[in-house]
């Protein structure tokens, strides 16, 4: 196992304890083994870097928020010019273009210096895109100093999401855990009590069917069961049902095992009962924003869209991810980390300055207020000069913050064909749920096809 997933809780607990003593993750001092490899920029030294982020391909709050942050960074670092760009590609969802975009630029000899890359791409980002180990580049102590923050540290389980083989290859940046958003107005119309939203998937099925029958609207939409959603949320559902999509040693695909089959079958039954409408991802979250669906399991990245749609029209609320009867939920994270790809020491230093700025208290305040993503420096939520007032006015965030304590990483598939493996799995799930295909045989066929692509 290359990354520290099974020992995540132990690793982060030890990490917090050690950094509190002024030491790195191994207890070694900066002077002995973790001295920075790249020098600081000289006074007045001018450096230009390219920052590639899929947020620039998303209209509205995403682009606006990031433009404001880059402008502020430029004002504070007049010697560093940042050219921000979206991934090169024609997909309506720019997140799907990121890897191919960077690959094309690497072939052309001009990759971006720093890039926002999804956790699903971590294996490939390290082994094929050449992301630099930050603890080697700037020193372990500097990496931990950034995690500790000026005032508020990263949530413990967020610190190691971009770790691999004992190194930190990226700084986790923006993420969410699965949240059950619901339309309290439709609950009331269906004779349900919105003060007690469903806590299990069995209750979701009952409530969804009641909403569909009494209001004529959709009962529930689970974005996690579509290929477009990738597999971050699907992994959470599978883990919460006691399964995995890949073995812990990363040698065997496990998405035809019984816990996974049960998750797909549950989605299929929701559609068959009339509780879940047959919609693609975009149709699903847009329909919920219009007040046409009672519940949706979704990332907080879409929270702003829901708030805009609900304002003055219907009552938007949120709850924790539902559980499978008798089993604890295990939220996995969506989102991305920030990685340095440049080979030039001056650009690497400038890229690190940008990363520390974008993951600072001030930046997370803007990102949370503008987009709705979780502030990974959770202490900001209690700071009167940070996000306290915003948090109080936005109770939708509370379930998401609570789920950080038991979060597990979104696991990337191995090898150069990892996207084909992941997408093949999700195509199978989508066909089971929305086309009524047999769960066991469909997932088994997808697993067999995926196994041939493993390294």
């Amino acid at each position: 196992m290359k990354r520290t997933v099974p020992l995540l809780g132990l690793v982060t607990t030890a990490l917090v304890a050690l950094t509190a003593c002024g030491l790195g993750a191994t207890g070694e001092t900066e002077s002995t083994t973790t001295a920075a490899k790249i020098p600081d920029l000289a006074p007045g030294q001018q450096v230009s870097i390219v920052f590639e982020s899929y947020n620039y391909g998303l209209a509205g709050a995403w682009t606006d928020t990031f433009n404001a942050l880059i402008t502020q960074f430029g004002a504070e670092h007049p010697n560093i010019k940042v050219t921000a760009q979206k991934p090169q590609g024609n997909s309506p969802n720019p997140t799907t273009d990121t890897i191919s975009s960077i690959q094309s630029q690497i072939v052309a000899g001009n990759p971006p210096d720093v890039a926002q890359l999804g956790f699903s791409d971590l294996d490939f980002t390290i082994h094929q895109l050449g992301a630099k180990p930050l603890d080697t580049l700037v020193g372990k102590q500097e990496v931990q100093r950034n995690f500790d923050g000026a005032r508020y540290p990263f949530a413990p389980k967020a610190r190691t999401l971009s770790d691999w083989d004992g190194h930190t290859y990226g700084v986790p940046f923006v993420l969410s855990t699965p949240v059950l958003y619901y339309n309290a107005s439709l609950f009331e119309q269906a004779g349900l009590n919105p003060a007690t939203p469903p806590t299990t998937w069995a209750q979701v099925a009952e409530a969804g069917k009641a909403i569909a029958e009494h209001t004529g609207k959709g009962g529930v939409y689970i974005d996690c069961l579509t290929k477009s959603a990738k597999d971050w949320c699907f992994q959470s559902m599978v883990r919460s049902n006691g399964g995995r999509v890949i073995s812990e040693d990363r040698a065997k695909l496990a998405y035809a095992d019984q816990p996974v089959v049960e998750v797909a079958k549950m989605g299929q039954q929701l559609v068959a009962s009339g509780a879940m409408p047959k919609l693609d991802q975009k149709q699903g979250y847009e329909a919920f924003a219009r007040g046409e669906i009672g519940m949706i399991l979704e990332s907080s990245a879409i929270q702003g869209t829901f708030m805009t749609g609900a304002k003055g029209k219907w009552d938007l609320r949120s709850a924790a991810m539902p559980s499978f009867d008798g089993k604890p939920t295990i939220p996995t994270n969506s989102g991305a980390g920030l990685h340095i790809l440049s080979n030039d020491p001056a650009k690497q230093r400038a890229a690190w300055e940008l990363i520390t700025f974008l993951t600072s208290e001030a930046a997370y305040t803007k990102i949370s207020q503008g987009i709705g993503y979780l502030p990974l420096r959770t202490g900001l939520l209690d700071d009167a000069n940070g996000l306290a007032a915003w948090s109080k006015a936005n109770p939708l965030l509370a379930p998401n913050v609570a789920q950080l304590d038991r979060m597990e990483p979104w696991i990337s598939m191995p090898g150069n064909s990892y996207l084909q493996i992941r997408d093949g799995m999700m195509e199978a799930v989508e066909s089971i749920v929305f086309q009524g295909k047999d769960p066991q045989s469909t997932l088994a066929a997808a697993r067999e096809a995926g196994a041939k692509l493993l390294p």
Side-chain angles (χ1 to χ4, degrees):
M1 186 77 177
K2 292 298 184 184
R3 62 177 303 155
T4 55
V5 176
L7 300 177
L8 183 59
L10 294 175
V11 170
T12 50
T13 300
L15 188 63
V16 172
L18 290 169
T19 51
C21 299
L23 301 176
T26 62
E28 296 167 319
T29 64
E30 176 89 4
S31 61
T32 57
T33 62
T34 61
K37 301 295 184 181
I38 53 174
D40 291 333
L41 297 178
Q45 182 179 356
Q46 298 295 311
V47 181
S48 295
I49 58 174
V50 174
F51 170 43
E52 183 153 325
S53 166
Y54 59 75
N55 288 102
Y56 283 98
L58 300 169
W62 289 275
T63 299
D64 293 344
T65 300
F66 274 69
N67 280 339
L69 286 170
I70 295 301
T71 298
Q72 183 179 343
F73 177 80
E76 295 180 12
H77 301 79
N79 61 317
I80 301 175
K81 179 184 178 182
V82 178
T83 299
Q85 65 184 28
K86 67 178 183 179
Q88 302 168 7
N90 299 313
S91 171
N93 183 354
T95 61
T96 63
D97 291 327
T98 303
I99 294 299
S100 59
S101 171
I102 292 177
Q103 282 182 294
S104 297
Q105 292 172 81
I106 288 175
V107 170
N110 59 344
D113 302 293
V114 59
Q116 179 180 344
L117 293 160
F119 294 109
S120 181
D121 307 311
L122 185 60
D123 188 325
F124 192 83
T125 295
I126 295 167
H127 298 113
Q128 298 302 320
L129 300 186
K132 306 299 184 287
L134 300 178
D135 51 297
T136 300
L137 208 63
V138 301
K140 289 183 178 180
Q141 192 173 60
E142 181 63 24
V143 170
Q144 296 311 317
R145 186 179 297 119
N146 181 56
F147 280 137
D148 290 341
R151 296 187 64 186
Y152 302 112
F154 262 51
K157 288 200 172 185
R159 290 180 178 235
T160 56
L161 292 177
S162 294
D163 280 13
W164 196 283
D165 234 4
H167 291 283
T168 298
Y169 282 90
V171 177
F173 183 37
V174 289
L175 61 87
S176 176
T177 60
V179 177
L180 185 71
Y181 294 97
Y182 66 101
N183 184 328
S185 302
L186 284 183
F187 267 61
E188 291 177 345
Q189 292 173 32
L192 303 171
N193 183 1
T196 55
T199 59
T200 68
W201 286 112
Q203 293 172 0
V204 167
E206 293 175 5
K209 190 173 181 181
I211 291 169
E213 291 177 349
H214 289 88
T215 71
K217 303 290 181 68
V220 60
Y221 186 77
I222 306 177
D223 186 12
C224 315
L225 303 177
T226 66
K227 176 186 173 183
S228 298
K230 301 182 179 179
D231 66 334
W232 73 275
C233 185
F234 181 66
Q235 285 194 22
S236 183
M237 296 183 73
V238 169
R239 291 291 296 118
S240 298
N241 196 37
R244 297 180 182 275
V245 298
I246 187 170
S247 61
E248 292 186 79
D249 63 4
R250 300 177 63 75
K252 178 183 176 183
L253 300 176
Y255 51 78
D257 292 358
Q258 194 58 33
V260 188
V261 173
E262 290 173 356
V263 171
K265 188 174 182 179
M266 181 201 73
Q268 184 184 72
Q269 291 171 339
L270 287 173
V271 172
S273 71
M276 184 157 70
K278 293 183 179 181
L279 301 172
D280 65 26
Q281 180 190 45
K282 188 170 185 288
Q283 291 171 332
Y285 72 69
E286 288 181 346
F288 181 79
R290 291 193 300 267
E292 297 173 2
I293 296 178
M295 298 168 280
I296 188 170
L297 190 70
E298 188 53 272
S299 161
S300 64
I302 313 295
Q303 183 172 291
T305 300
F306 296 159
M307 293 174 67
T308 299
K311 189 174 183 180
K313 298 175 183 177
W314 53 275
D315 185 0
L316 172 65
R317 301 186 192 181
S318 67
M321 177 184 178
S323 68
F324 291 90
D325 291 339
K327 300 173 183 176
T329 57
I330 301 178
T332 53
N333 61 281
S334 64
L338 298 175
H339 299 268
I340 294 176
L341 304 180
S342 176
N343 293 314
D344 178 86
K347 291 179 181 292
Q348 289 173 339
R349 174 56 67 179
W352 176 246
E353 293 296 330
L354 178 62
I355 288 175
T356 57
F357 172 82
L358 290 175
T359 56
S360 66
E361 286 90 344
Y364 273 124
T365 299
K366 290 182 180 294
I367 289 168
S368 295
Q369 291 174 333
I371 300 174
Y373 271 122
L374 281 176
L376 296 186
R377 301 188 186 280
T378 52
L380 286 165
L381 297 170
D382 298 316
D383 186 344
N385 296 317
L387 291 170
W390 175 81
S391 177
K392 185 177 181 180
N394 292 274
L396 297 172
L397 195 65
N400 214 349
V401 174
Q403 290 177 160
L404 279 177
D405 290 339
R406 59 184 187 279
M407 178 178 68
E408 286 190 4
W410 178 9
I411 304 298
S412 60
M413 292 294 184
N416 294 346
S417 300
Y418 76 104
L419 290 176
Q420 291 95 312
I421 297 172
R422 183 196 72 193
D423 291 349
M425 175 182 70
M426 293 311 298
E427 285 170 0
V429 171
E430 189 175 85
S431 69
I432 292 165
V433 174
F434 295 103
Q435 298 170 27
K437 291 190 176 181
D438 178 70
Q440 182 66 65
S441 61
T442 303
L443 283 168
R447 180 191 59 191
E448 290 175 11
K452 296 176 182 177
L453 300 173
L454 288 173

